[in-house]
C-alpha cells in the first residue's frame, strides 16, 4: 500500500512506514552496542543489597512500603542493558523495570527528547486532553502513537497505565454493547436507566461482564482486577464483579511432541469460552486476553487458537480486547504480539502500556466512540510527556530495525537455551517462546533460588507464575548480552 | 514543635516547615505578577474556535474523540494566568485545565526543573517504584510529597491520577477492614478465601462497600465510578458495585440566614450515613467524601458536619477517606481543604492529584500497609517526573506564600461577587466559597450561556453540576486578575 493510498483510506499515512521499515533486515545481532557508553559486562562488588542500599532501604521504609523491593537502583549510573546500584554493582538487566524499559537506561536519543523545550512544556503545562488539547496533539498522535497502531485500528484513547488502559477499554465495550442492544447510537437512554444508574442499579448499571482467562493478568484496579486471575494475593479482600473466567490452554512442551494433545486442550478452552458467552448470567460484552499470559507464568497458545477465538467472538457479537501491555512494542519479534496470528479481522480493541511508556487503547470501529461526549473522559486522559517519549521510541525502533533485531537475537537465545535445557533438564523445564523474540520463559522448581543467585553473578532477572523465570530484555539486547546471560545461567544452575 | 522533636516522633522533619512557612503573611495580592512575562489582559481576535483552531480540530477528530473539546490551546504562547490559542486569542484562565494547573502556564521555575538532568533521567529511566526505586526516591518523597502531607499522616502511596488514587485508597481500606475482622495482620488467609477469590466469590472477594455521597465525584474507573454520583452520563451502561450512597447536605444560601435549617439538613445527612453504615448489606469499609463536592456543583458543608462525620466513622470503625483531588494544594486558602475542619483525629486516608500534578494517597496508621507485600502494587506506582514537579510546586508555594495569598485574593473576589449578586441576583445565585480562597461558585439558570459569552470577552471559565459556574483560578491569581474577571462577569450578564 502506498503512502498516497493510505491517505485516501484515512489511515495515518505514516502507519504504513512502520511495516515497511520494520521489514528490513538487521546485522546488528553480533555487532557493537546500539548506543555508546555501555559497560562491557556486569560487575558485582558487594552482596545485593549492599551496605549503602541497605541504609537507603531503611530510610525509604519509614515512609513507603518496601517489602516488594527487589533492589535500589542508581539510574544516573545505569547505561543501556546495565542497571547500577548505589553500592557500585552493575547488573545485566533482563527484567527491565518489569518489562517496561524499551531502549536501555539513559538512552542518549531519548535523553535528547527528554531535555527538549517541547518536553518541558509538556511537563509544566499538562493539559486536560479531552477538553483543552494542545495545537500539536493531533500531529503528535499521528507521528507517534498512531504510527504504531495495530493493523486495522486507526483511533486511540490515551490513558495512564495498563490498568486504566484496560478499564477504559472495558467501558468502551460496555457502552458499545448497550448501544447495539438499544438499536444504535441515536437511541437515547430511558429515564429509568438514567435514574437507576445513580443508585448503581439495573437497568442503568449494565448487567454485563468481561470474560477473562484463568492465570491472566489485566491490572489491579477494581474492574481490571475482576478480570485478573493470576495470584490470590493480588485479589484477596478486594470486592470483585461476578464475571466469568475460562481456562487458558495449558500447553504441553515441547510443542512438537504434543501437537494432537495441545490441539485438544485449545479446543476445550474455546468450547468453554463459547459456553460462558452463551450462558453466563451477566453476558460478556468482551473477551480480554493476553497474547502471552505474562504475569501468570508466560502461558502461550497457538495462532490457530487466537484465530478461532476471534471467529468465536465475532459469531456471538462479543468484542475481543487484546491486552498487549506486556507483550507489545517489539519484544516478541513483531511490533505487536498479535501480529503473529495473521488475523483476517483485527481485534476490536488493543491495549498498551509498559515499553510504550505511554498507555491507552487502539480501536478501529467508529461505533466504539461513545454516542455522547463526556462518557469516556477524565481530567488528564494520558500524558503528552509520555506520548512524546513513545514517538521517540518508535523512531529509534525504526532507525535500528529493533523488532527484527529482537526476533533474531531471540532465536539465538532460544536455541542456546534449548542446549542448556538438554544439559540441565531439571532447571530448564517447559522452555517456551520459540519464534517470539526474546519473550522467553522456562520453569524451574528452584526458581527463586535461581533469581537470587543470578543477581550474585551479575544478572537481574524476574519471575512470573508459580515457578517460571521470565526473560524480558530490552529491544537493545544483543548477542553478546545473550552470551553473558547464558553463561550466567549455567553458572547459576551449576552452583545450586 | 521543633524540627528536632519532629525527628524524634518519626515524622519527616520538613513537614513542620510547611506549616511554618505557610503561616507568614503576604502583601502580593495587589502587587505585580509573581513571575514576569504575563500579558496585561485578555485579547480576543476571532470567534473561539477561530479558523486555525477549527482546522486543527477537524484534523484531531479523525483519530481522537473531540466532542468534549472546549478549546484548542497553544501552550507555547500561554503565560501565567493566560491561556492562548492557535488563532492568537489570549484568555484569562480561571478553569486551569479543570483545576489542575497550580502556578501558571510556563512557570519559569517549574520550567527549570522540567529541563534539569534529574527530570530527563526520570523521563527516560522510569522505574517500577515498588520493586526498583531510585536511590534518591526516599529523599524525593521526604523533601517533596511528604512535606505537604496532611497533619497526622506521614506515609504515602503514589499513583497516577485521581481515579486510581481513590481506588488504591479503597483497596487499602478493604484490606485493613478484613485484617481487623480476621484478628490482626499475623492471621493468615484461609484456603477457602484464597480459592474463592480466584473465582471472584466470597469469602475471598470481600462482601464490603465504600459509602459515598450523592452528587459526589471520585473518578471514572470501575471502582471509583461506583462511588461517583455526579451525573448519569458519567455512569450509564457501566457495571457498578451495589454500594450505598448518603445524601450530601444541600445547604441553603445565604448561610447566615439559614443556620438552623442547615444544621437540620446536615444532621439528617449524618443520620443517613449512620443508618447505612449499620444496615447496608455490604458493610462499608470506608466513607469517601470531598471537602467541597466539586464536579457535582460545588456543594459545601460546615466544619461541624465533617467533625461529626469523623466521630461517626470512628464510632463504627469505618475509615474516613477525604478526596482532596480537586480541593487540595492551596486553592481553598489552606493547603488541604480539610485543614479548615480542625479535626482532633485526622482522616485515615487523604487522596490527591490535579494541582499536585502527582497523585496518590496519604495515610498515618501503619496498619494501612497491607500485611503482605505485592497486595498493593503495580508496575509504575506513580511517576518520579510528577513527584519532582510537585516538589518544585511546594517550594514555589512556600517561597511566595501562595496559600495565604490565595486566601486573601479569594476574600476580595468573594466580597466583590457578593456585590454583583446584589446587583444581578438572577445571575449570581447561591454564591458559595466564603473563606475558602478562590474556590468559589455560584448558580445561574443561564450558566452555559455565561460560560460561552465569557470566552468571547476573554475569560475561560468552567461549569459544574446542573447550573453552577465554578471558579478555579491558579494559585498565582491576583487582585488585578480578579478585577478583570469581575468586570467580564458584569459585561457578560449585562449582555444576556
Amino acid at each position: 500500500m502506498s503512502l498516497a493510498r493510505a491517505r485516501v483510506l484515512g489511515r495515518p499515512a505514516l502507519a504504513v512506514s512502520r511495516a515497511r521499515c520494520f521489514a528490513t533486515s538487521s546485522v546488528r545481532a553480533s555487532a557493537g552496542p546500539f548506543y555508546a557508553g555501555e559497560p562491557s559486562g556486569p560487575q558485582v562488588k558487594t552482596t545485593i543489597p549492599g551496605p549503602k542500599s541497605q541504609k537507603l532501604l531503611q530510610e525509604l521504609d519509614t515512609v513507603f512500603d518496601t517489602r516488594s523491593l527487589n533492589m535500589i537502583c542508581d539510574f544516573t549510573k545505569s547505561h543501556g542493558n546495565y542497571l547500577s546500584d548505589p553500592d557500585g554493582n552493575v547488573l545485566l538487566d533482563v527484567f527491565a523495570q518489569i518489562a517496561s524499559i524499551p531502549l536501555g537506561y539513559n538512552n542518549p536519543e531519548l535523553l535528547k527528547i527528554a531535555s527538549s523545550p517541547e518536553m518541558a512544556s509538556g511537563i509544566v503545562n499538562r493539559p486536560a486532553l479531552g477538553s483543552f488539547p494542545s495545537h500539536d496533539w493531533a500531529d503528535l498522535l499521528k507521528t507517534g502513537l498512531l504510527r504504531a497502531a495495530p493493523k486495522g485500528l486507526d483511533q486511540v484513547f490515551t490513558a495512564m497505565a495498563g490498568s486504566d488502559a484496560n478499564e477504559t477499554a472495558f467501558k468502551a465495550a460496555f457502552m458499545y454493547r448497550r448501544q447495539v442492544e438499544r438499536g444504535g447510537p441515536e437511541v437515547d437512554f430511558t429515564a429509568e436507566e438514567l435514574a437507576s444508574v445513580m443508585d448503581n442499579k439495573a437497568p442503568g448499571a449494565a448487567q454485563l461482564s468481561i470474560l477473562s482467562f484463568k492465570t491472566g493478568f489485566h491490572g489491579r484496579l477494581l474492574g481490571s482486577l475482576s478480570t485478573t486471575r493470576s495470584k490470590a494475593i493480588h485479589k484477596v479482600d478486594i470486592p470483585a464483579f461476578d464475571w466469568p473466567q475460562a481456562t487458558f490452554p495449558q500447553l504441553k512442551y515441547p510443542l512438537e511432541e504434543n501437537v494432537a494433545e495441545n490441539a485438544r486442550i485449545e479446543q476445550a478452552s474455546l468450547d468453554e469460552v463459547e459456553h460462558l458467552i452463551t450462558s453466563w448470567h451477566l453476558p460478556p460484552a468482551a473477551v480480554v486476553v493476553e497474547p502471552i499470559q505474562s504475569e501468570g507464568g508466560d502461558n502461550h497458545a497457538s495462532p490457530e487458537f487466537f484465530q478461532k477465538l476471534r471467529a468465536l467472538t465475532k459469531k456471538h457479537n462479543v468484542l475481543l480486547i487484546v491486552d498487549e501491555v506486556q507483550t507489545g512494542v517489539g519484544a516478541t519479534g513483531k511490533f505487536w504480539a498479535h501480529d503473529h496470528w495473521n488475523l483476517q479481522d483485527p481485534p476490536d480493541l488493543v491495549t498498551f502500556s509498559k515499553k510504550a511508556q505511554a498507555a491507552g487503547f487502539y480501536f478501529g470501529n467508529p461505533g466504539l466512540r461513545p454516542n455522547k461526549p463526556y462518557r469516556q473522559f477524565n481530567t488528564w486522559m494520558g500524558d503528552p510527556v509520555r506520548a512524546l517519549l513513545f514517538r521517540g521510541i518508535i523512531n529509534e525502533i525504526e532507525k535500528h530495525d529493533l523488532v527484527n533485531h529482537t526476533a533474531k537475537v531471540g532465536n539465538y537465545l532460544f536455541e542456546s537455551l534449548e542446549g542448556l535445557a538438554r544439559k540441565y533438564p531439571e532447571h530448564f523445564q517447559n522452555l517456551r517462546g520459540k519464534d517470539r523474540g526474546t519473550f522467553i520463559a522456562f520453569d524451574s522448581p528452584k526458581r527463586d533460588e535461581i533469581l537470587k543467585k543470578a543477581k550474585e553473578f551479575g544478572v537481574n532477572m524476574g519471575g512470573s507464575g508459580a515457578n517460571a523465570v521470565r526473560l524480558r530484555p530490552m529491544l537493545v539486547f544483543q548477542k553478546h548480552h545473550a552470551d553473558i546471560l547464558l553463561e550466567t545461567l549455567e553458572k547459576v544452575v551449576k552452583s545450586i
Side-chain angles (χ1 to χ4, degrees), chain A:
Chain A
M1 186 159 72
S2 70
L3 279 174
R5 171 105 179 109
R7 275 195 203 96
V8 170
L9 291 177
R11 268 182 69 73
L14 280 159
V16 289
S17 75
R18 174 173 71 83
R20 200 182 55 227
C21 294
F22 290 7
T24 59
S25 81
S26 162
V27 290
R28 297 296 292 272
S30 56
F34 286 103
Y35 306 97
E38 200 175 51
S40 56
Q43 270 210 318
V44 180
K45 295 181 174 172
T46 71
T47 55
I48 299 175
K52 286 185 189 164
S53 294
Q54 281 179 24
K55 196 161 165 285
L56 289 165
L57 201 157
Q58 279 169 20
E59 193 189 336
L60 181 58
D61 192 67
T62 60
V63 294
F64 196 77
D65 191 350
T66 60
R67 287 166 307 161
S68 47
L69 198 134
N70 185 311
M71 60 181 276
I72 303 253
C73 307
D74 186 343
F75 294 110
T76 64
K77 298 195 174 119
S78 303
H79 292 285
N81 292 272
Y82 288 90
L83 176 62
S84 298
D85 80 0
D87 294 283
N89 299 299
V90 180
L91 306 184
L92 176 67
D93 187 10
V94 294
F95 197 23
Q97 306 303 317
I98 318 182
S100 69
I101 296 285
L103 304 180
Y105 296 108
N106 287 305
N107 179 293
E109 293 304 315
L110 298 188
L111 278 175
K112 272 186 213 161
I113 293 164
S115 311
S116 68
E118 212 174 356
M119 183 64 84
S121 176
I123 292 168
V124 169
N125 307 312
R126 188 172 191 175
L129 282 169
S131 292
F132 298 94
S134 175
H135 65 288
D136 55 3
W137 182 232
D139 182 64
L140 179 52
L141 290 176
K142 289 182 183 183
T143 60
L145 268 75
L146 285 162
R147 248 166 81 212
K151 201 179 150 194
L153 311 185
D154 61 1
Q155 308 275 308
V156 70
F157 183 86
T158 46
M160 309 288 183
S163 279
D164 67 315
N166 280 325
E167 288 208 18
T168 48
F170 297 171
K171 287 179 69 170
F174 290 127
M175 292 188 273
Y176 179 74
R177 168 66 168 246
R178 290 291 298 123
Q179 178 171 301
V180 170
E181 288 174 352
R182 256 182 214 107
E186 67 289 345
V187 183
D188 219 338
F189 314 112
T190 66
E192 192 192 358
E193 284 172 339
L194 295 176
S196 59
V197 79
M198 296 308 292
D199 209 21
N200 290 4
K201 305 277 200 235
Q207 303 300 293
L208 296 170
S209 63
I210 302 291
L211 189 156
S212 61
F213 287 92
K214 286 179 191 170
T215 53
F217 183 92
H218 304 287
R220 289 161 164 271
L221 298 170
L222 269 68
S224 51
L225 190 61
S226 288
T227 62
T228 284
R229 316 276 183 166
S230 43
K231 296 194 184 87
I233 198 75
H234 300 160
K235 289 170 70 74
V236 68
D237 293 347
I238 311 301
F241 290 104
D242 188 17
W243 292 353
Q245 59 175 333
T247 308
F248 193 78
Q250 297 181 284
L251 300 186
K252 299 218 173 351
Y253 290 87
L255 296 177
E256 304 76 42
E257 297 171 20
N258 295 279
V259 172
E261 172 69 356
N262 286 337
R264 194 199 60 73
I265 288 169
E266 290 193 338
Q267 189 55 50
S269 172
L270 292 164
D271 292 344
E272 194 181 349
V273 169
E274 185 157 30
H275 173 71
L276 290 167
I277 286 175
T278 54
S279 68
W280 193 257
H281 70 108
L282 303 168
V287 172
V288 63
V289 69
E290 295 158 275
I292 301 164
Q293 288 190 330
S294 307
E295 174 63 26
D298 272 43
N299 308 313
H300 292 249
S302 71
E304 293 71 31
F305 171 79
F306 291 105
Q307 289 158 10
K308 287 179 185 169
L309 183 64
R310 172 70 289 194
L312 194 57
T313 48
K314 277 266 171 193
K315 175 182 164 193
H316 291 287
N317 297 310
V318 167
L319 300 180
L320 181 62
I321 303 172
V322 176
D323 176 344
E324 291 254 24
V325 167
Q326 187 154 167
T327 53
V329 192
T332 70
K334 302 262 188 194
F335 197 92
W336 301 106
H338 77 268
D339 290 342
H340 288 282
W341 307 340
N342 292 312
L343 291 181
Q344 291 294 311
D345 295 309
D348 297 290
L349 304 111
V350 173
T351 61
F352 61 96
S353 182
K354 286 201 184 257
K355 269 198 286 296
Q357 295 283 301
F361 66 84
Y362 294 108
F363 63 104
N365 178 356
L368 284 167
R369 280 193 190 183
N371 70 336
K372 288 175 193 285
Y374 292 107
R375 299 190 69 191
Q376 186 77 287
F377 187 84
N378 60 68
T379 298
W380 285 327
M381 283 189 21
D383 189 344
V385 164
R386 299 293 166 187
L388 277 165
L389 195 67
F390 189 21
R391 180 169 69 184
I393 291 163
I394 294 166
N395 287 342
E396 289 302 298
I397 288 176
E398 288 192 355
K399 185 174 160 195
H400 296 291
D401 193 25
L402 293 177
V403 178
N404 284 312
H405 158 77
T406 297
K408 285 179 194 171
V409 174
N411 287 345
Y412 172 75
L413 179 61
F414 191 88
E415 283 163 24
S416 308
L417 285 165
E418 284 181 316
L420 282 178
R422 280 189 294 272
K423 209 163 160 189
Y424 308 99
E426 71 281 23
H427 292 302
F428 297 89
Q429 300 173 6
N430 305 320
L431 181 66
R432 49 206 185 271
K434 190 176 184 176
D435 297 325
R436 290 298 178 273
T438 55
F439 210 100
I440 296 170
F442 53 88
D443 295 327
S444 174
K446 297 196 172 169
R447 188 267 311 270
D448 291 347
E449 206 177 336
I450 288 178
L451 298 182
K452 192 164 174 290
K453 281 268 177 186
K455 212 172 243 127
E456 291 170 20
F457 288 114
V459 176
N460 181 44
M461 295 195 303
S464 64
N467 52 9
V469 173
R470 60 172 154 174
L471 303 179
R472 293 293 176 273
M474 307 158 186
L475 306 180
V476 292
F477 182 83
Q478 296 172 273
K479 184 173 172 296
H480 61 276
H481 303 116
D483 288 332
I484 293 170
L485 170 61
L486 291 159
E487 284 159 27
T488 304
L489 279 171
E490 182 154 18
K491 271 195 272 183
V492 166
V493 298
K494 273 177 155 173
S495 77
I496 59 178

